[in-house]
Amino acid sequence: MSPELPISITTLFYREAERAWQVGPHTHPVHQWFFCLHGRLTVSAGGADFALTPEHSVIIPPNVERQLHGGTRSPGYVVAIFACPVLNLDSLCLRALPMPSELRTDVQALVAELRAPGAIAGPLLQATLLLRLLIGHLRAATPGRTADSERTAKSTLSGMNSARHEDIAASVERFLCAQLHRTLTRAEVAAVVRLSEPQLARVFRAATGRTVMERLTELRLARAKELLLEPDASVSHVAGAVGFASFSHFARLFRRHVGVPPSDYRRGRGTVWE
């Protein structure tokens, strides 16, 4: 697949599955890598069960029978079937591997590439990222890796992840602000930033401390308060203008968050009292 690199990839994909999903016993003549991005995934191989949680993986050596099961949460996972004769992966096989913090950017890039592969450089980029991940795991397993180096890498990567999360959250908020007048679903919001719903939920909460729907409600009510101070807009019109099909639901939510009914808020010209 990639003659420029010392790795030959048979299969490489990202997939999201249902909780009840499973794959029966099978083998491959080359190595296979399973990486859990979110949810739960169990890989049974070599007489052991590897319960993979987010950011954990397992490498199965050639010709060892394996089978897969979903878990309590729907998994999103990467599978790579590959041959890489220049790397000795024996020390990594048949053990649950936590993702070294310095590799998170590479795995995020790999997942993004698999979700929307480049037309020209796709296979080469995918092979390069997979090779980087394998080498990174080998380095992480090498004796002498100090706690200080781990902390430094984690701190650097946390900053990079934080910046990326904030960019995604900002894009989500811009979309929400432009769509306050209509009903929105989580799936629709997730599609805007090209993430799954569980990924969006984790990223948005990490960046803002709120869920997407909590932030949407805040934005709707903030806009409602602005419109209520305009004399020409009826209270029922305000409810519809900020995406509430039910006026009674709008009134209950407004009172719960603001402290007074919308009609009283208007009469008090924005003054809030109990």
Side-chain angles (χ1 to χ4, degrees):
M1 177 179 176
S2 303
E4 302 87 348
L5 293 171
I7 187 169
S8 175
I9 299 175
T10 303
T11 302
L12 180 58
F13 61 82
Y14 169 76
R15 181 172 296 163
E16 296 179 357
E18 300 297 326
R19 287 185 297 174
W21 152 93
Q22 61 181 344
V23 177
H26 62 285
T27 62
H28 292 288
V30 292
H31 286 87
Q32 185 171 18
W33 179 62
F34 298 97
F35 171 75
C36 180
L37 182 67
H38 63 80
R40 297 290 186 272
L41 169 67
T42 298
V43 180
S44 300
D49 293 331
F50 302 94
L52 303 183
T53 54
E55 297 196 354
H56 284 74
S57 64
V58 64
I59 297 175
I60 310 301
N63 302 314
V64 171
E65 186 174 270
R66 76 290 315 259
Q67 55 184 322
L68 286 71
H69 309 274
T72 55
R73 297 182 181 178
S74 301
Y77 62 101
V78 175
V79 172
I81 302 173
F82 64 93
C84 189
V86 299
L87 295 180
N88 184 348
L89 302 177
D90 292 348
S91 62
L92 301 181
C93 289
L94 297 177
R95 50 183 288 203
L97 303 170
M99 177 61 62
S101 57
E102 63 268 29
L103 298 181
R104 290 183 185 140
T105 300
D106 287 331
V107 80
Q108 288 169 356
L110 178 60
V111 171
E113 180 64 22
L114 294 174
R115 290 171 64 93
I120 299 175
L124 178 59
L125 180 57
Q126 293 168 16
T128 302
L129 289 168
L130 178 58
L131 191 60
R132 284 171 59 91
L133 290 169
L134 294 172
I135 293 172
H137 275 297
L138 283 171
R139 287 176 174 170
T142 301
R145 185 180 176 87
T146 66
D148 286 342
S149 66
E150 286 279 9
R151 283 194 293 270
T152 299
K154 184 174 183 178
S155 175
T156 301
L157 209 26
S158 294
M160 294 174 66
N161 287 341
S162 177
R164 180 175 181 270
H165 291 173
E166 289 174 3
D167 287 344
I168 292 172
S171 296
V172 168
E173 184 143 336
R174 285 193 295 271
F175 176 73
L176 297 180
C177 289
Q179 306 295 328
L180 293 179
H181 61 285
R182 67 184 186 87
T183 301
L184 290 173
T185 65
R186 291 179 179 83
E188 190 175 359
V189 179
V192 170
V193 288
R194 299 172 69 180
L195 294 176
S196 69
E197 292 181 55
Q199 286 175 306
L200 173 61
R202 284 192 298 275
V203 168
F204 195 84
R205 183 178 282 279
T208 69
R210 301 172 178 84
T211 69
V212 173
M213 292 299 116
E214 286 170 346
R215 183 55 181 151
L216 178 58
T217 297
E218 290 178 354
L219 293 170
R220 290 194 196 282
L221 295 178
R223 179 57 179 154
K225 288 195 287 185
E226 294 176 356
L227 293 175
L228 285 169
L229 298 182
E230 297 180 5
D232 296 334
S234 68
V235 177
S236 59
H237 173 79
V238 170
V242 294
F244 289 94
S246 167
F247 173 76
S248 60
H249 177 58
F250 165 69
R252 285 195 303 271
L253 202 62
F254 191 94
R255 180 161 191 162
R256 185 190 311 156
H257 286 265
V258 181
V260 297
S263 55
D264 289 352
Y265 185 89
R266 161 169 281 175
R267 279 194 295 270
R269 296 183 180 181
T271 301
V272 177
W273 72 94
E274 291 293 344

